[in-house]
Amino acid sequence: MAGVRGRWPVPLWAPVCALVLGWAVLVVLRHSWAGDMRLHLGTLHGLLRDPWSPVDPLVGAVEGSPYYSPTMVALAAAAEVTGLRPQAVLELAGLANVVLWLWALIRFCRLLGGPAVGPLAVVFSLLLWGLRPHEWSGFFGLYSLSWTMAYPSLTATALMLLAWHAYLTARWVPLAPLLALIVLIHPFTALNTALGLLAFVLARPARLRDRGQYAAGAAAAVLALAWPWSDLTALPAAAGGLSRIHQGLVLDLGADFGLGHYGLALVGLPALVTGVDRRPLGRELLLLFTLAVSVAGLGAIAGSYGFARVLPVALLALHLALASCLGAPGPRARRAVYAGVAAAACAAGLYGNSGGLIRAWWEPVPPRTLEAWKARDPRTVYAPVIRKVKPGTVVLSDRSWPGRLVNGKGAYSVVPGWPYPFVDEAARRRDVRRFFARGTTDAERMSIIERYRVDCLLTTRRNRVGLAGFRVRARAAKGGVLLSCRLFLPRCLRKPRGRERRRSCWSPPRWGSAPTPACSDRPTRSRRAGEAGRWRPTPAPGWSSC
């Protein structure tokens, strides 16, 4: 390998990284997103409206949220300084995430062997998943990455690799901020990081003698707890509410005889088992795989399916072990056979991740072609009406899923589109069912509207509700989707109720300056004579909420 390196002036990782980055650029240029991207768009909108004490981006009911991580605060500051739209900022952040992940992975692979280990690890991490890989946050297969490259989870994964490298090389000063950032950016990745550190300690208990790691851990805890935009102490109590949505990650383990979602990574199992004492960090990788599988299995037995989020780090151990085996010097005949098996698995993985390839196609792709390439269509029947939803409004929908589309516009939904244990989701669902029940009176419906400060109704054809004070704002020809909004003045001009802050519906303020109403040029409210203490809207027919 040294001879090849001497004849080839370009580092071995350069063409691989250039190819991956070029693919990421093509995906970004399509501007076609779905899934949790809408959640992160809503998070940016919330920080732009109120950078210092924003309400949660889903329902706007509580102050602060775990989604307000250092990454999102930094992106909101960048959006404010540059004037770019939140989606453009997230797309550029996606490219930066890919670069950071590639650099962190190759940097960590320097501890595993020669210069070929890093490029091989990149290829295996992108392809060796399954024939129908998941597109989950924290899963870095090619198809999943085409949707999640802008997510904070990829940032946290890159920082996890850097933290592991810092620990193994005893660099305690950068370890503290890295650990704090991982905990704040993506708590699930923090669990994976902890498993890696535990595996390193179990493999070499003598590492515990260095006192610098304890100071780094204490500093990381102080930094994480001092973060003002969210309360980390509330996360353990809320973890149970996130279990059900992760159930499929465990139940899909046996799909397609085990090859559906994770089976191709098992090609690295022989390298993992046989490299315990023969290759660098062989024992650490085996312990990491064992710990991750044990945590996921015990969590599934206990009904806590959220622990299935450790599966990516179990597969990462297999990928790294395989790259270390094939990239290190050894018997050529034996390596040639193993390399052929790995190449066949990568070809199957490329077929399974073909949705990630079609996502990089630079022309519009019809739905049938997307389905044939195993990629989902991000377009929905709600698109024509969602364009009319204004940031800061509260939307009540007859289905919970459109709440994700609403959040992507910087608005709030009555029922959160994602599991959100920080609010009483069950009570909100009951109120929505009662609102659309046939026997509910208009007075009961108006009480629900006032309780949640609803500005717009998003309904399908069979659940249409006609209420006085609402008018049709937009409709979709396909699907019978209707958006109706209030006729009176915007929420930002109403008198705040209780602890409600007036800025909840204000336009994005300049950082460090006082906000100004987005609708200051519209008629204002007046207090009628003889009605002290009562605020009545000035008649303004034709005005809908902001």
Side-chain angles (χ1 to χ4, degrees):
M1 186 61 69
V4 175
R5 181 75 178 272
R7 295 193 302 268
W8 188 256
V10 179
L12 294 176
W13 54 262
V16 176
C17 292
L19 187 63
V20 175
L21 185 58
W23 164 82
V25 170
L26 292 176
V27 172
V28 166
L29 290 177
R30 284 184 55 83
H31 308 292
S32 176
W33 307 101
D36 290 358
M37 184 72 164
R38 298 167 181 135
L39 171 59
H40 302 308
L41 283 173
T43 303
L44 277 186
H45 278 287
L47 284 169
L48 287 172
R49 274 195 298 274
D50 185 358
W52 306 118
S53 54
V55 294
D56 71 274
L58 296 184
V59 299
V62 294
E63 186 173 312
S65 173
Y67 295 114
Y68 294 129
S69 64
T71 299
M72 303 309 294
V73 172
L75 292 181
E80 178 64 26
V81 171
T82 61
L84 294 174
R85 295 180 298 108
Q87 180 171 329
V89 172
L90 278 177
E91 289 172 345
L92 293 176
L95 295 179
N97 280 344
V98 172
V99 173
L100 180 63
W101 176 73
L102 290 172
W103 175 67
L105 181 58
I106 291 175
R107 180 179 176 84
F108 181 79
C109 287
R110 292 175 182 172
L111 303 175
L112 300 176
V117 176
L120 287 174
V122 171
V123 174
F124 297 154
S125 297
L126 291 174
L127 299 181
L128 293 183
W129 290 79
L131 299 178
R132 292 186 293 109
H134 285 295
E135 46 177 294
W136 271 80
S137 170
F139 287 58
F140 37 86
L142 188 70
Y143 179 56
S144 179
L145 208 61
S146 71
W147 295 102
T148 65
M149 66 173 67
Y151 293 7
S153 59
L154 186 59
T155 309
T157 300
L159 296 180
M160 175 187 71
L161 293 169
L162 294 177
W164 287 353
H165 185 277
Y167 183 84
L168 292 173
T169 55
R171 298 181 180 180
W172 310 123
V173 174
L175 181 61
L178 285 172
L179 293 178
L181 286 173
I182 294 170
V183 171
L184 292 170
I185 292 173
H186 201 241
F188 286 115
T189 305
L191 174 60
N192 294 339
T193 305
L195 289 179
L197 297 178
L198 179 60
F200 300 156
V201 169
L202 294 177
R204 300 286 187 272
R207 292 189 175 111
L208 291 174
R209 298 173 184 174
D210 197 327
R211 298 179 180 179
Q213 58 189 313
Y214 303 110
V222 171
L223 292 174
L225 292 174
W227 183 248
W229 276 270
S230 62
D231 183 10
L232 288 180
T233 59
L235 290 179
L242 302 175
S243 177
R244 186 174 181 181
I245 195 175
H246 296 99
Q247 189 174 5
L249 296 178
V250 177
L251 298 181
D252 290 341
L253 282 171
D256 297 336
F257 304 99
L259 297 176
H261 301 286
Y262 315 105
L264 294 179
L266 294 178
V267 175
L269 190 58
L272 183 70
V273 174
T274 60
V276 173
D277 296 317
R278 298 167 54 185
R279 285 183 288 273
L281 299 182
R283 185 176 304 175
E284 285 84 348
L285 292 179
L286 179 60
L287 285 171
L288 175 60
F289 175 80
T290 304
L291 288 173
V293 172
S294 301
V295 168
L298 292 175
I301 294 173
S304 298
Y305 296 101
F307 287 104
R309 296 296 290 270
V310 303
L311 289 175
V313 82
L315 271 65
L316 177 62
L318 294 171
H319 299 154
L320 295 177
L322 181 60
S324 178
C325 177
L326 297 181
R332 291 187 176 183
R334 185 181 303 175
R335 279 202 308 160
V337 175
Y338 201 6
V341 175
C346 287
L350 185 63
Y351 167 77
N353 284 276
S354 58
L357 299 178
I358 198 63
R359 291 262 302 145
W361 189 253
W362 50 88
E363 294 181 354
V365 182
R368 290 185 177 179
T369 305
L370 289 174
E371 183 179 358
W373 282 72
K374 300 182 179 181
R376 62 167 169 158
D377 188 359
R379 293 165 290 191
T380 69
V381 296
Y382 288 87
V385 299
I386 291 296
R387 298 192 191 101
K388 299 295 183 179
V389 175
K390 302 297 182 183
T393 57
V394 177
V395 180
L396 190 152
S397 176
D398 57 349
R399 298 172 59 193
S400 60
W401 180 83
R404 303 187 176 194
L405 307 177
V406 169
N407 296 147
K409 297 292 291 185
Y412 306 109
S413 58
V414 174
V415 175
W418 287 267
Y420 199 63
F422 303 100
V423 297
D424 192 350
E425 185 176 343
R428 289 172 172 263
R429 290 186 181 276
R430 285 195 302 268
D431 287 340
V432 170
R433 285 195 298 267
R434 186 157 59 91
F435 182 90
F436 289 104
R438 292 188 177 183
T440 305
T441 64
D442 287 351
E444 291 174 327
R445 290 192 173 105
M446 289 304 299
S447 68
I448 295 175
I449 285 176
E450 292 299 326
R451 182 180 308 139
Y452 296 108
R453 305 292 194 272
V454 175
D455 298 301
C456 295
L457 302 176
L458 184 61
T459 58
T460 53
R461 183 178 290 109
R462 65 177 182 177
N463 287 321
R464 289 182 181 175
V465 175
L467 285 178
F470 283 79
R471 72 166 183 178
V472 176
R473 185 82 182 275
R475 67 177 75 236
K478 184 179 180 180
V481 181
L482 201 67
L483 178 70
S484 304
C485 294
R486 278 184 156 181
L487 289 172
F488 51 71
L489 292 178
R491 297 172 63 244
C492 51
L493 293 181
R494 303 181 206 162
K495 181 180 179 180
R497 300 184 180 183
R499 300 180 63 183
E500 179 187 13
R501 296 192 309 278
R502 188 179 293 274
R503 59 178 172 267
S504 62
C505 191
W506 289 42
S507 62
R510 304 295 299 181
W511 284 66
S513 62
T516 56
C519 41
S520 57
D521 57 335
R522 299 184 183 180
T524 59
R525 289 182 180 272
S526 62
R527 184 174 297 178
R528 293 186 178 182
E531 294 183 342
R534 291 189 62 191
W535 287 77
R536 308 278 298 187
T538 301
W543 295 103
S544 62
S545 69
C546 66

